[in-house]
Amino acid sequence: MYALNHHDHGTPAVHGAPVTLSIDGADVTVPAGTSVMRAAAAAGGAIPKLCATNTLKSFGSCRVCMVEIEGQRGFPASCTTLVAPGMKVKTDSERLKKLRSGIVELYLSDHPQADAAGDRSELRQVAKKLGLGSTTRYGEDGQTHLEACKDESNPYFTFDPAACIVCSRCVRACNEVQGTFALTVQGRGFDSRIVASQDDGFKESECVSCGACVESCPTGALTEKSLQIAGQPAEAIKTTCAYCGVGCSFTAEVKDQQVVRMVPDRDGGANRGHACVKGRFAYGYATHADRITRPMIRAKITDPWREVSWDEAFEYAASEFRRIQEKYGRYSVGGITSSRCTNEEAFLVQKLVRAALGTNNVDTCARVCHSPTGYGLKNTMGESAGTQNFDSITRCDVILVIGANPTDGHPVFGSRMKRRLREGAKLIVADPREIDLVRSPHVQADYHLQLRPGTNVALLNCLAHVVVTEGLVNEKFVAERCEPGPLQRWKDFVSQPKNSPEVMESVTGVPARLVRGAARLYATGGNGAIYYGLGVTEHSQGSTAVMGIAQLAMATGNLGREGVGVNPLRGQNNVQGSCDMGSFPHELSGYRHLSDEATRQSFEKDWGVTLDPEPGLRIPNMLEAALEGSFKALYVEGEDPAQSDPNTQHVTAGLAAMECVVVQDLFLNETAKYAHVFFPGSSFLEKDGTFTNAERRIALVRKIMEPLGGLADWEVTVRFAKALGYEGMNYTHPSEIMDEIARLTPTFTGVSFEKLEREGSIQWPCNGAAPQGTPTMHVGEFVRGKGRFFITEYVPTQEKVNAKFPLILTTGRILSQYNVGAQTRRTPNVAWHDEDRLEIHPHDAEERGIANQDWVGVASRAGTTVLRACITEKVQPGVVYTTFHFPESGANVITTENSDWATNCPEYKVTAVQVSKVHQPSQWQKRHAEMDRKQKELLRRARAQAGPA
Amino acid sequence: MNIDHLVSMANDISNFFDGEVGEQEAHTSVALHISRYWDPRMRQQIIAHAAIGGEGLCKSALEAVRALPPPPLRDVGATRGSNG
């Protein structure tokens, strides 16, 4: 069932030359290729329909939409009939009404009296317009499907075959929109029915629970369980998803300040009306019983928590920070923002650290994911962000995916990518694993470059070698747009034999012929676009690899227009935004270095303080300094380094060495177990603000319900700053914070809440030069002027396999869980993934006597953990893989301190390990379980003492 | 800060710039990178290490660190940024 405010014109919009026709006596002009149904809608009419919808190609099965066309025999379906100049159409007549009524009456004769959609059922609405009731002339006798069993296996929606009219909208939605092809019509005639996979039931089938079928269902046969429980919503509020970097726009349908369901916004610039299982369904964590809604303090992390008022919590935190600065120095404190924060909240945290605490020791979650993107793209092209919008994929001819798994990590964009591939675009995948994109229904990679982990730069150099030595450089483009000296040095470098695919084959593990084929395809196949993810950045040469990617794009002229580009797939909803907001220790908002005096002075004037011009500590440096004794207090909003950062034992030792850790979050997460102050945080349903997605698209987040803790996140930071004695945060609404951001940040000068309300979303830069924002960057020239090439010498990682640790562990994500799992583990999504597992190749498993589902110890030089084995050929021999969504799995106990040379982004993707069959948890897991039990007990005691909220 | 780690970081930076501008010239770029991205206490520590021989630092890293100006002294007492 579509959203409350959905306008369905029946068939998709098209572009074409204008065609004028007559509908019910009135002329209407529409593009050629438009259906008669849509033309009628454009003319203000509405032809009844059931199988047609404007999100899917027309199908013509229900025949309810038939019309009369002068000069044509019979009664053609208006959804499949295209307009023609001078066509004369009649959409209503007694004859048409009789025919339509006959069809709809037949549907109603085999339909329950009441179904889950109620009055919003399109079938009932069409019936009502035709003057039909729920009883028909056919009576109660005769064969029906009313006794068919419901499929309630999916935790989020029900399939009731009794209410299904086999219009196949769901099948087509799964095919055309989602691209999973999980549904089909089984049987013929009266026996036709919708089944999932091989009639496996939705949960066990290939269905990925995106909900596109549910939304498209016209009868309520597929309906959200939440809708069935809560009833029809009363209002609709647009907001932005808080999960991945796609940043889908949603309409939250709300009743009594509770979300009934989330429906993707058809006009959403990032998602164009589609969603995934997380954004659409997994919002229940916001009201989970684990939510902590009252501030708490304690002197030591072994003490019980004590619930206190907000005032007492602020006073205590501030007094501790001041005491620590007095004792250990100004620079012994700092803060961490995260993508959980809105832009406004991230801006305030870095402002608090700089202005109230007087230090630049502030960092953000991007440290551990896309910080190399910022460095690499800034240096080559001049801006720390991707170059395109998501719509650009519709004009791609060749898609190169490196170190990303869009169908799991960015599912809505993954679906759009698959649609383009089904339309004929070519695909090159560079990944150690056989990700879903390599081979899935109607999609197959033309090249899968299955390289060894840690050899991205070697591979990129090989691709560049082919481009340069085979004369595939776009000489016109580079001559106009790139610095000539560095370009020539780069050409000379990549041309060297050592960078040839043949020489590098033994390093990368990729056959030379595949590399040559892929390079030629990317360089000559038309519009070539590169999409990359953490499989590029989370390496010791992450920044170098990003430069290599940008240079490939520059060399082949694949920049500065639609259909091409360099597209970092940012993992989280506002990681781009938190970077934009100056959450880095060396930069102010808009990626301007602290040493830039004019920039610093503008902030000093606005904030009323003198700012330190020296860079501060990054997160790993903070932890090291804590162990050394010179860093003692930390304010963390929304981030969980104790679970997400590498070498867990090192991280927790660092946290334990601090004297005041302040955590602002929804739950008692891993970091909060080492905290002394807990500020209850707010979910995205409880806040007003903006997120910025991977396309640089700034979109509004709108409050659905009041913050459960009583204060919005931005208010918490303001009050904390005030308690620290800083009076420079006087806001009454987040829009005023954005006004300050716009005042101080050249790429944001045109951004305001008022403009966002009007436009829906804006892609920065948005300023005088680009008042409507910037969908495509580097048009005409690069932000830095001329593009710059760098020598990207391949330097092997220090993390080497050896006899003791002969395998390489790499990590990633899975569709149903998100990041550290704090949100998704508290939703029914655990039905699909209830623990992290170790993927291991059959050969490696057999060598070790490991069977599927066996418990296995995974040991590295950093530590050991135990996971259950999953034997699969998705990984190559010598490589194992796991996810990091469950704290008890300890995936980061085994990752090391190796990091990117430029940014210290951890090398999560390359850890030398050994795997062996075990029969008990690791020592770390035993200690973790005990720590977890103790901390939960301390929390339970605090809550019991305080009584109900 | 663990000096071995700082040495490793400095060497990693040098590896990149050795390739970019050559080993003879890399020290300038390495020094600039360290100045722009390293907290003063980290710079102080690596400078002190270089002053006593710089064990473990590669050629361009050692040259770069030796060329670094002394970082600013850090306040010991509590001072916040506000002038008011």
Side-chain angles (χ1 to χ4, degrees), chain A residues 546-563:
Chain A
V546 171
M547 289 173 170
I549 285 169
Q551 286 162 184
L552 256 186
M554 287 196 286
T556 53
N558 279 309
L559 282 159
R561 62 185 190 280
E562 289 186 356

Side-chain angles (χ1 to χ4, degrees), chain A residues 16 42 69 81 169 272 473 481 512 520 691 714 751 788 802 921 929:
Chain A
I69 299 178
T81 305
R169 272 195 197 174
R272 300 290 177 210
V473 172
R481 301 204 37 178
R520 289 165 192 154
F691 290 149
W714 69 272
V751 180
R788 170 77 152 86
N802 52 34

Side-chain angles (χ1 to χ4, degrees), chain A residues 785-837:
Chain A
K786 300 278 189 189
R788 170 77 152 86
F789 281 77
F790 290 83
I791 303 303
T792 50
E793 195 76 60
Y794 168 59
V795 178
T797 172
Q798 290 172 21
E799 190 69 10
K800 307 267 191 259
V801 296
N802 52 34
K804 192 172 177 188
F805 304 115
L807 304 172
I808 292 181
L809 170 77
T810 189
T811 59
R813 299 150 192 253
I814 202 163
L815 169 66
S816 55
Q817 292 288 349
Y818 176 71
N819 200 262
V820 295
Q823 297 149 281
T824 43
R825 278 184 282 115
R826 292 177 170 96
T827 70
N829 278 23
V830 291
W832 288 283
H833 186 81
D834 59 357
E835 63 178 317
D836 295 321
R837 304 208 174 189

Side-chain angles (χ1 to χ4, degrees), chain B residues 1-64:
Chain B
M1 233 74 55
N2 183 313
I3 190 62
D4 291 335
H5 194 204
L6 292 179
V7 165
S8 178
M9 282 167 61
N11 287 343
D12 285 345
I13 295 165
S14 298
N15 275 332
F16 176 80
F17 287 109
D18 283 349
E20 165 62 12
V21 297
E23 208 183 357
Q24 297 307 313
E25 309 294 328
H27 63 275
T28 309
S29 304
V30 175
L32 181 61
H33 185 99
I34 290 176
S35 297
R36 284 175 70 83
Y37 297 108
W38 286 30
D39 175 270
R41 80 193 85 178
M42 291 163 63
R43 281 150 40 204
Q44 183 56 50
Q45 208 171 338
I46 197 86
I47 288 171
H49 180 69
I52 58 167
E55 186 185 335
L57 284 169
C58 68
K59 179 174 175 293
S60 34
L62 185 59
E63 242 181 287

Side-chain angles (χ1 to χ4, degrees), chain A residues 170-188:
Chain A
C170 53
V171 176
R172 287 178 283 133
C174 191
N175 297 352
E176 294 171 32
V177 177
Q178 170 54 29
T180 299
F181 295 81
L183 305 179
T184 191
V185 179
Q186 188 181 79
R188 300 175 75 90

Side-chain angles (χ1 to χ4, degrees), chain A residues 329 331 610 614 624 628 791, chain B residues 1 5 20 41 43 76 83:
Chain A
Y331 304 98
T610 304
E614 294 288 338
E624 285 222 3
E628 179 213 41
I791 303 303
Chain B
M1 233 74 55
H5 194 204
E20 165 62 12
R41 80 193 85 178
R43 281 150 40 204
V76 174
N83 286 332

